[in-house]
PDB file of all heavy atoms in Angstrom:
ATOM      1  N   MET A   7       1.646   1.382   1.038  1.00  0.00           N
ATOM      2  CA  MET A   7       2.529   2.580   1.136  1.00  0.00           C
ATOM      3  C   MET A   7       3.990   2.133   0.950  1.00  0.00           C
ATOM      4  O   MET A   7       4.691   1.839   1.864  1.00  0.00           O
ATOM      5  CB  MET A   7       2.364   3.167   2.531  1.00  0.00           C
ATOM      6  CG  MET A   7       3.200   4.475   2.709  1.00  0.00           C
ATOM      7  SD  MET A   7       2.258   5.976   2.577  1.00  0.00           S
ATOM      8  CE  MET A   7       1.230   5.917   4.008  1.00  0.00           C
ATOM      9  N   LEU A  51       1.686   7.927  -1.271  1.00  0.00           N
ATOM     10  CA  LEU A  51       1.476   8.782  -0.111  1.00  0.00           C
ATOM     11  C   LEU A  51       0.061   9.221   0.007  1.00  0.00           C
ATOM     12  O   LEU A  51      -0.418   9.608   1.087  1.00  0.00           O
ATOM     13  CB  LEU A  51       2.370  10.025  -0.202  1.00  0.00           C
ATOM     14  CG  LEU A  51       3.919   9.768  -0.050  1.00  0.00           C
ATOM     15  CD1 LEU A  51       4.662  11.064  -0.280  1.00  0.00           C
ATOM     16  CD2 LEU A  51       4.222   9.272   1.345  1.00  0.00           C
ATOM     17  N   GLY A  52      -0.646   9.241  -1.096  1.00  0.00           N
ATOM     18  CA  GLY A  52      -2.032   9.662  -1.087  1.00  0.00           C
ATOM     19  C   GLY A  52      -2.218  11.148  -1.087  1.00  0.00           C
ATOM     20  O   GLY A  52      -3.306  11.653  -0.766  1.00  0.00           O
ATOM     21  N   GLU A  57       2.376  20.805  -7.813  1.00  0.00           N
ATOM     22  CA  GLU A  57       1.314  21.414  -8.534  1.00  0.00           C
ATOM     23  C   GLU A  57       1.840  21.711  -9.906  1.00  0.00           C
ATOM     24  O   GLU A  57       2.787  22.463 -10.106  1.00  0.00           O
ATOM     25  CB  GLU A  57       0.932  22.736  -7.841  1.00  0.00           C
ATOM     26  CG  GLU A  57      -0.442  23.156  -8.129  1.00  0.00           C
ATOM     27  CD  GLU A  57      -0.742  24.455  -7.389  1.00  0.00           C
ATOM     28  OE1 GLU A  57      -0.480  24.525  -6.161  1.00  0.00           O
ATOM     29  OE2 GLU A  57      -1.166  25.461  -8.036  1.00  0.00           O
ATOM     30  N   ARG A  58       1.325  21.030 -10.914  1.00  0.00           N
ATOM     31  CA  ARG A  58       1.835  21.168 -12.307  1.00  0.00           C
ATOM     32  C   ARG A  58       1.071  22.256 -13.005  1.00  0.00           C
ATOM     33  O   ARG A  58      -0.053  22.075 -13.453  1.00  0.00           O
ATOM     34  CB  ARG A  58       1.663  19.937 -13.062  1.00  0.00           C
ATOM     35  CG  ARG A  58       2.638  18.739 -12.713  1.00  0.00           C
ATOM     36  CD  ARG A  58       1.878  17.803 -11.837  1.00  0.00           C
ATOM     37  NE  ARG A  58       2.548  16.430 -11.802  1.00  0.00           N
ATOM     38  CZ  ARG A  58       2.641  15.744 -10.702  1.00  0.00           C
ATOM     39  NH1 ARG A  58       2.234  16.219  -9.552  1.00  0.00           N
ATOM     40  NH2 ARG A  58       3.195  14.550 -10.776  1.00  0.00           N
ATOM     41  N   ARG A  64       5.403  23.487  -9.068  1.00  0.00           N
ATOM     42  CA  ARG A  64       5.505  24.083  -7.736  1.00  0.00           C
ATOM     43  C   ARG A  64       5.222  23.059  -6.687  1.00  0.00           C
ATOM     44  O   ARG A  64       4.362  22.196  -6.852  1.00  0.00           O
ATOM     45  CB  ARG A  64       4.435  25.198  -7.616  1.00  0.00           C
ATOM     46  CG  ARG A  64       4.651  26.172  -6.471  1.00  0.00           C
ATOM     47  CD  ARG A  64       3.460  26.920  -6.128  1.00  0.00           C
ATOM     48  NE  ARG A  64       2.454  27.122  -7.209  1.00  0.00           N
ATOM     49  CZ  ARG A  64       2.562  28.170  -8.056  1.00  0.00           C
ATOM     50  NH1 ARG A  64       3.525  29.103  -7.936  1.00  0.00           N
ATOM     51  NH2 ARG A  64       1.705  28.302  -9.032  1.00  0.00           N
ATOM     52  N   ARG A  67       1.947  22.415  -0.368  1.00  0.00           N
ATOM     53  CA  ARG A  67       2.315  22.665   1.024  1.00  0.00           C
ATOM     54  C   ARG A  67       2.853  21.367   1.660  1.00  0.00           C
ATOM     55  O   ARG A  67       3.946  21.297   2.283  1.00  0.00           O
ATOM     56  CB  ARG A  67       1.073  23.002   1.831  1.00  0.00           C
ATOM     57  CG  ARG A  67       1.311  23.145   3.315  1.00  0.00           C
ATOM     58  CD  ARG A  67       2.132  24.415   3.541  1.00  0.00           C
ATOM     59  NE  ARG A  67       3.134  24.223   4.624  1.00  0.00           N
ATOM     60  CZ  ARG A  67       2.865  24.254   5.893  1.00  0.00           C
ATOM     61  NH1 ARG A  67       1.611  24.433   6.302  1.00  0.00           N
ATOM     62  NH2 ARG A  67       3.799  24.148   6.826  1.00  0.00           N
ATOM     63  N   ARG A  75      12.421  16.436   5.421  1.00  0.00           N
ATOM     64  CA  ARG A  75      12.441  14.992   5.952  1.00  0.00           C
ATOM     65  C   ARG A  75      13.156  14.111   4.933  1.00  0.00           C
ATOM     66  O   ARG A  75      14.016  13.310   5.229  1.00  0.00           O
ATOM     67  CB  ARG A  75      11.001  14.491   6.129  1.00  0.00           C
ATOM     68  CG  ARG A  75      10.201  15.316   7.045  1.00  0.00           C
ATOM     69  CD  ARG A  75      10.473  14.930   8.461  1.00  0.00           C
ATOM     70  NE  ARG A  75       9.494  15.380   9.345  1.00  0.00           N
ATOM     71  CZ  ARG A  75       9.198  14.830  10.534  1.00  0.00           C
ATOM     72  NH1 ARG A  75       9.831  13.759  10.868  1.00  0.00           N
ATOM     73  NH2 ARG A  75       8.295  15.365  11.313  1.00  0.00           N
ATOM     74  N   ASN A  82      21.145  10.564   5.567  1.00  0.00           N
ATOM     75  CA  ASN A  82      21.454   9.427   6.367  1.00  0.00           C
ATOM     76  C   ASN A  82      21.912   8.224   5.517  1.00  0.00           C
ATOM     77  O   ASN A  82      22.851   7.585   5.866  1.00  0.00           O
ATOM     78  CB  ASN A  82      20.250   9.025   7.257  1.00  0.00           C
ATOM     79  CG  ASN A  82      20.014   9.996   8.371  1.00  0.00           C
ATOM     80  OD1 ASN A  82      20.975  10.683   8.799  1.00  0.00           O
ATOM     81  ND2 ASN A  82      18.824  10.040   8.888  1.00  0.00           N
ATOM     82  N   GLU A  85      25.363   8.773   4.496  1.00  0.00           N
ATOM     83  CA  GLU A  85      26.288   8.548   5.628  1.00  0.00           C
ATOM     84  C   GLU A  85      26.562   7.051   5.769  1.00  0.00           C
ATOM     85  O   GLU A  85      27.667   6.605   6.038  1.00  0.00           O
ATOM     86  CB  GLU A  85      25.781   9.157   6.924  1.00  0.00           C
ATOM     87  CG  GLU A  85      25.940  10.662   6.905  1.00  0.00           C
ATOM     88  CD  GLU A  85      25.351  11.304   8.186  1.00  0.00           C
ATOM     89  OE1 GLU A  85      24.950  10.516   9.083  1.00  0.00           O
ATOM     90  OE2 GLU A  85      25.362  12.557   8.223  1.00  0.00           O
ATOM     91  N   GLU A  87      26.461   4.948   3.420  1.00  0.00           N
ATOM     92  CA  GLU A  87      27.328   4.553   2.308  1.00  0.00           C
ATOM     93  C   GLU A  87      28.752   4.963   2.636  1.00  0.00           C
ATOM     94  O   GLU A  87      29.744   4.225   2.339  1.00  0.00           O
ATOM     95  CB  GLU A  87      26.862   5.131   1.028  1.00  0.00           C
ATOM     96  CG  GLU A  87      25.531   4.471   0.558  1.00  0.00           C
ATOM     97  CD  GLU A  87      24.890   5.223  -0.576  1.00  0.00           C
ATOM     98  OE1 GLU A  87      25.200   6.440  -0.779  1.00  0.00           O
ATOM     99  OE2 GLU A  87      24.084   4.659  -1.274  1.00  0.00           O
ATOM    100  N   ARG A  91      32.174   2.712   2.814  1.00  0.00           N
ATOM    101  CA  ARG A  91      33.365   2.976   2.053  1.00  0.00           C
ATOM    102  C   ARG A  91      34.554   3.007   3.061  1.00  0.00           C
ATOM    103  O   ARG A  91      35.639   2.440   2.746  1.00  0.00           O
ATOM    104  CB  ARG A  91      33.309   4.349   1.350  1.00  0.00           C
ATOM    105  CG  ARG A  91      33.068   4.212  -0.134  1.00  0.00           C
ATOM    106  CD  ARG A  91      33.054   5.584  -0.760  1.00  0.00           C
ATOM    107  NE  ARG A  91      31.890   6.355  -0.401  1.00  0.00           N
ATOM    108  CZ  ARG A  91      30.700   6.247  -0.941  1.00  0.00           C
ATOM    109  NH1 ARG A  91      30.484   5.348  -1.851  1.00  0.00           N
ATOM    110  NH2 ARG A  91      29.697   7.037  -0.528  1.00  0.00           N
ATOM    111  N   GLN A  94      35.477  -0.446   4.208  1.00  0.00           N
ATOM    112  CA  GLN A  94      36.061  -1.366   3.258  1.00  0.00           C
ATOM    113  C   GLN A  94      37.577  -1.422   3.403  1.00  0.00           C
ATOM    114  O   GLN A  94      38.185  -2.444   3.180  1.00  0.00           O
ATOM    115  CB  GLN A  94      35.765  -0.808   1.851  1.00  0.00           C
ATOM    116  CG  GLN A  94      34.425  -1.269   1.338  1.00  0.00           C
ATOM    117  CD  GLN A  94      34.124  -0.736  -0.058  1.00  0.00           C
ATOM    118  OE1 GLN A  94      34.759   0.121  -0.553  1.00  0.00           O
ATOM    119  NE2 GLN A  94      33.110  -1.286  -0.669  1.00  0.00           N
ATOM    120  N   ARG A 100      36.565  -1.436  15.686  1.00  0.00           N
ATOM    121  CA  ARG A 100      36.938  -2.118  16.954  1.00  0.00           C
ATOM    122  C   ARG A 100      37.567  -3.523  16.621  1.00  0.00           C
ATOM    123  O   ARG A 100      37.060  -4.147  15.727  1.00  0.00           O
ATOM    124  CB  ARG A 100      35.696  -2.271  17.785  1.00  0.00           C
ATOM    125  CG  ARG A 100      35.961  -2.915  19.104  1.00  0.00           C
ATOM    126  CD  ARG A 100      34.674  -3.270  19.816  1.00  0.00           C
ATOM    127  NE  ARG A 100      33.932  -4.188  18.960  1.00  0.00           N
ATOM    128  CZ  ARG A 100      32.649  -4.563  19.222  1.00  0.00           C
ATOM    129  NH1 ARG A 100      32.016  -4.103  20.274  1.00  0.00           N
ATOM    130  NH2 ARG A 100      32.062  -5.386  18.441  1.00  0.00           N
ATOM    131  N   ASP A 146      31.798 -17.282  21.282  1.00  0.00           N
ATOM    132  CA  ASP A 146      30.674 -16.522  21.634  1.00  0.00           C
ATOM    133  C   ASP A 146      30.556 -15.213  20.877  1.00  0.00           C
ATOM    134  O   ASP A 146      29.572 -14.440  21.069  1.00  0.00           O
ATOM    135  CB  ASP A 146      30.696 -16.229  23.138  1.00  0.00           C
ATOM    136  CG  ASP A 146      29.489 -16.796  23.854  1.00  0.00           C
ATOM    137  OD1 ASP A 146      29.011 -17.898  23.429  1.00  0.00           O
ATOM    138  OD2 ASP A 146      28.973 -16.057  24.750  1.00  0.00           O
ATOM    139  N   ARG A 279      37.364 -17.437  14.521  1.00  0.00           N
ATOM    140  CA  ARG A 279      36.253 -18.282  13.969  1.00  0.00           C
ATOM    141  C   ARG A 279      36.423 -18.362  12.455  1.00  0.00           C
ATOM    142  O   ARG A 279      36.713 -17.395  11.758  1.00  0.00           O
ATOM    143  CB  ARG A 279      34.877 -17.574  14.244  1.00  0.00           C
ATOM    144  CG  ARG A 279      34.518 -17.467  15.682  1.00  0.00           C
ATOM    145  CD  ARG A 279      33.122 -16.894  15.902  1.00  0.00           C
ATOM    146  NE  ARG A 279      33.056 -15.540  15.418  1.00  0.00           N
ATOM    147  CZ  ARG A 279      33.501 -14.503  16.064  1.00  0.00           C
ATOM    148  NH1 ARG A 279      34.042 -14.585  17.282  1.00  0.00           N
ATOM    149  NH2 ARG A 279      33.430 -13.222  15.531  1.00  0.00           N
ATOM    150  N   THR A 281      34.310 -18.609  10.409  1.00  0.00           N
ATOM    151  CA  THR A 281      33.275 -17.812   9.739  1.00  0.00           C
ATOM    152  C   THR A 281      33.588 -16.305   9.750  1.00  0.00           C
ATOM    153  O   THR A 281      32.828 -15.519   9.170  1.00  0.00           O
ATOM    154  CB  THR A 281      31.929 -18.017  10.417  1.00  0.00           C
ATOM    155  OG1 THR A 281      32.085 -17.741  11.794  1.00  0.00           O
ATOM    156  CG2 THR A 281      31.467 -19.430  10.177  1.00  0.00           C
TER     157      THR A 281
ATOM    158  N   MET B 166      26.644   1.609  -5.659  1.00  0.00           N
ATOM    159  CA  MET B 166      26.184   1.526  -4.266  1.00  0.00           C
ATOM    160  C   MET B 166      24.668   1.848  -4.306  1.00  0.00           C
ATOM    161  O   MET B 166      24.269   2.980  -4.087  1.00  0.00           O
ATOM    162  CB  MET B 166      26.908   2.557  -3.406  1.00  0.00           C
ATOM    163  CG  MET B 166      26.606   2.521  -1.957  1.00  0.00           C
ATOM    164  SD  MET B 166      27.742   1.666  -0.970  1.00  0.00           S
ATOM    165  CE  MET B 166      29.152   2.767  -0.937  1.00  0.00           C
ATOM    166  N   LEU B 210      27.481  -2.620  -0.226  1.00  0.00           N
ATOM    167  CA  LEU B 210      28.258  -1.852   0.752  1.00  0.00           C
ATOM    168  C   LEU B 210      29.754  -2.212   0.668  1.00  0.00           C
ATOM    169  O   LEU B 210      30.600  -1.442   1.133  1.00  0.00           O
ATOM    170  CB  LEU B 210      27.742  -2.135   2.134  1.00  0.00           C
ATOM    171  CG  LEU B 210      26.352  -1.612   2.468  1.00  0.00           C
ATOM    172  CD1 LEU B 210      25.915  -2.019   3.821  1.00  0.00           C
ATOM    173  CD2 LEU B 210      26.379  -0.087   2.434  1.00  0.00           C
ATOM    174  N   GLY B 211      29.998  -3.440   0.182  1.00  0.00           N
ATOM    175  CA  GLY B 211      31.396  -3.872   0.087  1.00  0.00           C
ATOM    176  C   GLY B 211      31.939  -4.362   1.422  1.00  0.00           C
ATOM    177  O   GLY B 211      33.117  -4.532   1.631  1.00  0.00           O
ATOM    178  N   GLU B 216      27.856 -12.624  10.173  1.00  0.00           N
ATOM    179  CA  GLU B 216      28.809 -13.770  10.161  1.00  0.00           C
ATOM    180  C   GLU B 216      27.921 -14.976  10.235  1.00  0.00           C
ATOM    181  O   GLU B 216      27.222 -15.140  11.239  1.00  0.00           O
ATOM    182  CB  GLU B 216      29.701 -13.613  11.394  1.00  0.00           C
ATOM    183  CG  GLU B 216      30.965 -14.373  11.300  1.00  0.00           C
ATOM    184  CD  GLU B 216      31.800 -14.207  12.537  1.00  0.00           C
ATOM    185  OE1 GLU B 216      31.992 -13.047  13.009  1.00  0.00           O
ATOM    186  OE2 GLU B 216      32.223 -15.203  13.094  1.00  0.00           O
ATOM    187  N   ARG B 217      27.877 -15.774   9.151  1.00  0.00           N
ATOM    188  CA  ARG B 217      27.014 -16.973   9.177  1.00  0.00           C
ATOM    189  C   ARG B 217      27.772 -18.123   9.805  1.00  0.00           C
ATOM    190  O   ARG B 217      28.617 -18.774   9.090  1.00  0.00           O
ATOM    191  CB  ARG B 217      26.582 -17.347   7.765  1.00  0.00           C
ATOM    192  CG  ARG B 217      25.571 -16.421   7.162  1.00  0.00           C
ATOM    193  CD  ARG B 217      26.273 -15.389   6.293  1.00  0.00           C
ATOM    194  NE  ARG B 217      25.382 -14.790   5.275  1.00  0.00           N
ATOM    195  CZ  ARG B 217      25.476 -13.523   4.875  1.00  0.00           C
ATOM    196  NH1 ARG B 217      26.379 -12.686   5.504  1.00  0.00           N
ATOM    197  NH2 ARG B 217      24.694 -13.098   3.950  1.00  0.00           N
ATOM    198  N   ARG B 223      25.402 -13.924  13.301  1.00  0.00           N
ATOM    199  CA  ARG B 223      25.911 -12.930  14.207  1.00  0.00           C
ATOM    200  C   ARG B 223      26.248 -11.626  13.395  1.00  0.00           C
ATOM    201  O   ARG B 223      26.783 -11.712  12.315  1.00  0.00           O
ATOM    202  CB  ARG B 223      27.139 -13.435  14.871  1.00  0.00           C
ATOM    203  CG  ARG B 223      27.582 -12.657  16.079  1.00  0.00           C
ATOM    204  CD  ARG B 223      28.963 -12.841  16.476  1.00  0.00           C
ATOM    205  NE  ARG B 223      29.525 -14.161  16.129  1.00  0.00           N
ATOM    206  CZ  ARG B 223      29.477 -15.224  16.885  1.00  0.00           C
ATOM    207  NH1 ARG B 223      28.888 -15.101  18.037  1.00  0.00           N
ATOM    208  NH2 ARG B 223      29.940 -16.426  16.484  1.00  0.00           N
ATOM    209  N   ARG B 226      31.045  -6.479  13.267  1.00  0.00           N
ATOM    210  CA  ARG B 226      31.226  -5.184  13.933  1.00  0.00           C
ATOM    211  C   ARG B 226      30.573  -4.060  13.139  1.00  0.00           C
ATOM    212  O   ARG B 226      29.876  -3.190  13.596  1.00  0.00           O
ATOM    213  CB  ARG B 226      32.741  -4.850  14.049  1.00  0.00           C
ATOM    214  CG  ARG B 226      33.047  -3.485  14.634  1.00  0.00           C
ATOM    215  CD  ARG B 226      32.656  -3.489  16.126  1.00  0.00           C
ATOM    216  NE  ARG B 226      32.074  -2.211  16.576  1.00  0.00           N
ATOM    217  CZ  ARG B 226      32.773  -1.118  16.774  1.00  0.00           C
ATOM    218  NH1 ARG B 226      34.042  -1.074  16.615  1.00  0.00           N
ATOM    219  NH2 ARG B 226      32.129  -0.033  17.203  1.00  0.00           N
ATOM    220  N   ARG B 234      21.941   3.303  12.624  1.00  0.00           N
ATOM    221  CA  ARG B 234      21.658   4.218  11.502  1.00  0.00           C
ATOM    222  C   ARG B 234      20.509   3.762  10.670  1.00  0.00           C
ATOM    223  O   ARG B 234      19.666   4.540  10.237  1.00  0.00           O
ATOM    224  CB  ARG B 234      22.925   4.245  10.579  1.00  0.00           C
ATOM    225  CG  ARG B 234      24.202   4.637  11.298  1.00  0.00           C
ATOM    226  CD  ARG B 234      24.288   6.125  11.360  1.00  0.00           C
ATOM    227  NE  ARG B 234      25.632   6.553  11.729  1.00  0.00           N
ATOM    228  CZ  ARG B 234      26.145   7.683  11.329  1.00  0.00           C
ATOM    229  NH1 ARG B 234      25.418   8.515  10.542  1.00  0.00           N
ATOM    230  NH2 ARG B 234      27.357   8.051  11.725  1.00  0.00           N
ATOM    231  N   ASN B 241      12.582   7.367  10.129  1.00  0.00           N
ATOM    232  CA  ASN B 241      12.271   8.670   9.417  1.00  0.00           C
ATOM    233  C   ASN B 241      11.337   8.316   8.254  1.00  0.00           C
ATOM    234  O   ASN B 241      10.390   9.092   8.041  1.00  0.00           O
ATOM    235  CB  ASN B 241      13.512   9.214   8.884  1.00  0.00           C
ATOM    236  CG  ASN B 241      14.333   9.951   9.916  1.00  0.00           C
ATOM    237  OD1 ASN B 241      13.801  10.356  10.961  1.00  0.00           O
ATOM    238  ND2 ASN B 241      15.648  10.078   9.725  1.00  0.00           N
ATOM    239  N   GLU B 244       7.967   8.053   9.606  1.00  0.00           N
ATOM    240  CA  GLU B 244       7.354   9.363   9.941  1.00  0.00           C
ATOM    241  C   GLU B 244       6.822  10.063   8.728  1.00  0.00           C
ATOM    242  O   GLU B 244       5.756  10.675   8.770  1.00  0.00           O
ATOM    243  CB  GLU B 244       8.394  10.195  10.685  1.00  0.00           C
ATOM    244  CG  GLU B 244       8.611   9.799  12.149  1.00  0.00           C
ATOM    245  CD  GLU B 244       9.655  10.596  12.817  1.00  0.00           C
ATOM    246  OE1 GLU B 244      10.167  11.532  12.148  1.00  0.00           O
ATOM    247  OE2 GLU B 244      10.050  10.308  13.942  1.00  0.00           O
ATOM    248  N   GLU B 246       5.672   8.594   6.153  1.00  0.00           N
ATOM    249  CA  GLU B 246       4.409   7.952   5.867  1.00  0.00           C
ATOM    250  C   GLU B 246       3.324   8.403   6.801  1.00  0.00           C
ATOM    251  O   GLU B 246       2.203   8.619   6.329  1.00  0.00           O
ATOM    252  CB  GLU B 246       4.614   6.383   5.934  1.00  0.00           C
ATOM    253  CG  GLU B 246       5.502   5.914   4.801  1.00  0.00           C
ATOM    254  CD  GLU B 246       5.889   4.374   4.968  1.00  0.00           C
ATOM    255  OE1 GLU B 246       5.841   3.902   6.131  1.00  0.00           O
ATOM    256  OE2 GLU B 246       6.259   3.847   4.014  1.00  0.00           O
ATOM    257  N   ARG B 250      -0.274  10.097   5.851  1.00  0.00           N
ATOM    258  CA  ARG B 250      -1.569   9.658   6.287  1.00  0.00           C
ATOM    259  C   ARG B 250      -2.333  10.804   6.951  1.00  0.00           C
ATOM    260  O   ARG B 250      -3.544  10.986   6.675  1.00  0.00           O
ATOM    261  CB  ARG B 250      -1.380   8.526   7.355  1.00  0.00           C
ATOM    262  CG  ARG B 250      -1.688   7.131   6.805  1.00  0.00           C
ATOM    263  CD  ARG B 250      -1.610   6.075   7.868  1.00  0.00           C
ATOM    264  NE  ARG B 250      -0.258   5.901   8.343  1.00  0.00           N
ATOM    265  CZ  ARG B 250       0.705   5.135   7.672  1.00  0.00           C
ATOM    266  NH1 ARG B 250       0.349   4.506   6.617  1.00  0.00           N
ATOM    267  NH2 ARG B 250       1.909   5.020   8.162  1.00  0.00           N
ATOM    268  N   GLN B 253      -3.588  13.214   4.314  1.00  0.00           N
ATOM    269  CA  GLN B 253      -4.689  12.695   3.489  1.00  0.00           C
ATOM    270  C   GLN B 253      -5.989  13.258   3.961  1.00  0.00           C
ATOM    271  O   GLN B 253      -6.834  13.589   3.143  1.00  0.00           O
ATOM    272  CB  GLN B 253      -4.717  11.197   3.487  1.00  0.00           C
ATOM    273  CG  GLN B 253      -3.735  10.603   2.514  1.00  0.00           C
ATOM    274  CD  GLN B 253      -3.765   9.077   2.597  1.00  0.00           C
ATOM    275  OE1 GLN B 253      -4.391   8.538   3.519  1.00  0.00           O
ATOM    276  NE2 GLN B 253      -3.222   8.439   1.611  1.00  0.00           N
ATOM    277  N   ARG B 259      -1.229  24.223   6.678  1.00  0.00           N
ATOM    278  CA  ARG B 259      -1.304  25.635   6.446  1.00  0.00           C
ATOM    279  C   ARG B 259      -2.244  26.000   5.309  1.00  0.00           C
ATOM    280  O   ARG B 259      -2.298  25.254   4.320  1.00  0.00           O
ATOM    281  CB  ARG B 259       0.072  26.194   6.180  1.00  0.00           C
ATOM    282  CG  ARG B 259       0.142  27.724   6.002  1.00  0.00           C
ATOM    283  CD  ARG B 259       1.456  28.100   5.426  1.00  0.00           C
ATOM    284  NE  ARG B 259       1.716  27.463   4.185  1.00  0.00           N
ATOM    285  CZ  ARG B 259       2.863  27.578   3.436  1.00  0.00           C
ATOM    286  NH1 ARG B 259       3.811  28.315   3.977  1.00  0.00           N
ATOM    287  NH2 ARG B 259       2.988  26.988   2.300  1.00  0.00           N
ATOM    288  N   ASP B 305       1.363  33.506  -7.909  1.00  0.00           N
ATOM    289  CA  ASP B 305       2.746  33.314  -7.516  1.00  0.00           C
ATOM    290  C   ASP B 305       2.858  32.236  -6.437  1.00  0.00           C
ATOM    291  O   ASP B 305       4.015  31.851  -6.100  1.00  0.00           O
ATOM    292  CB  ASP B 305       3.254  34.620  -6.815  1.00  0.00           C
ATOM    293  CG  ASP B 305       4.430  35.149  -7.520  1.00  0.00           C
ATOM    294  OD1 ASP B 305       4.503  35.071  -8.775  1.00  0.00           O
ATOM    295  OD2 ASP B 305       5.400  35.584  -6.850  1.00  0.00           O
ATOM    296  N   ARG B 438      -5.945  28.694  -8.060  1.00  0.00           N
ATOM    297  CA  ARG B 438      -5.303  28.219  -9.304  1.00  0.00           C
ATOM    298  C   ARG B 438      -5.995  26.983  -9.794  1.00  0.00           C
ATOM    299  O   ARG B 438      -6.243  26.024  -8.921  1.00  0.00           O
ATOM    300  CB  ARG B 438      -3.824  27.927  -9.050  1.00  0.00           C
ATOM    301  CG  ARG B 438      -2.950  29.121  -8.703  1.00  0.00           C
ATOM    302  CD  ARG B 438      -1.524  28.783  -8.535  1.00  0.00           C
ATOM    303  NE  ARG B 438      -1.319  27.849  -7.400  1.00  0.00           N
ATOM    304  CZ  ARG B 438      -1.199  28.220  -6.138  1.00  0.00           C
ATOM    305  NH1 ARG B 438      -1.324  29.562  -5.829  1.00  0.00           N
ATOM    306  NH2 ARG B 438      -1.058  27.352  -5.176  1.00  0.00           N
ATOM    307  N   THR B 440      -4.752  24.645 -11.132  1.00  0.00           N
ATOM    308  CA  THR B 440      -3.863  23.483 -10.907  1.00  0.00           C
ATOM    309  C   THR B 440      -3.793  23.101  -9.433  1.00  0.00           C
ATOM    310  O   THR B 440      -3.126  22.073  -9.116  1.00  0.00           O
ATOM    311  CB  THR B 440      -2.389  23.860 -11.337  1.00  0.00           C
ATOM    312  OG1 THR B 440      -2.043  25.066 -10.686  1.00  0.00           O
ATOM    313  CG2 THR B 440      -2.413  24.055 -12.838  1.00  0.00           C
TER     314      THR B 440
END
Side-chain angles (χ1 to χ4, degrees):
Chain A
M7 182 101 68
L51 290 175
E57 201 181 310
R58 287 99 159 140
R64 198 202 328 275
R67 176 69 219 283
R75 303 276 195 153
N82 285 339
E85 284 177 6
E87 291 171 339
R91 255 184 293 279
Q94 276 179 348
R100 183 191 58 187
D146 238 40
R279 296 183 297 280
T281 55
Chain B
M166 183 99 72
L210 290 175
E216 201 181 309
R217 287 95 158 146
R223 197 201 328 273
R226 177 70 218 285
R234 303 276 194 151
N241 284 337
E244 283 177 7
E246 291 170 339
R250 255 184 293 279
Q253 275 179 349
R259 183 191 58 184
D305 238 40
R438 294 182 297 278
T440 55

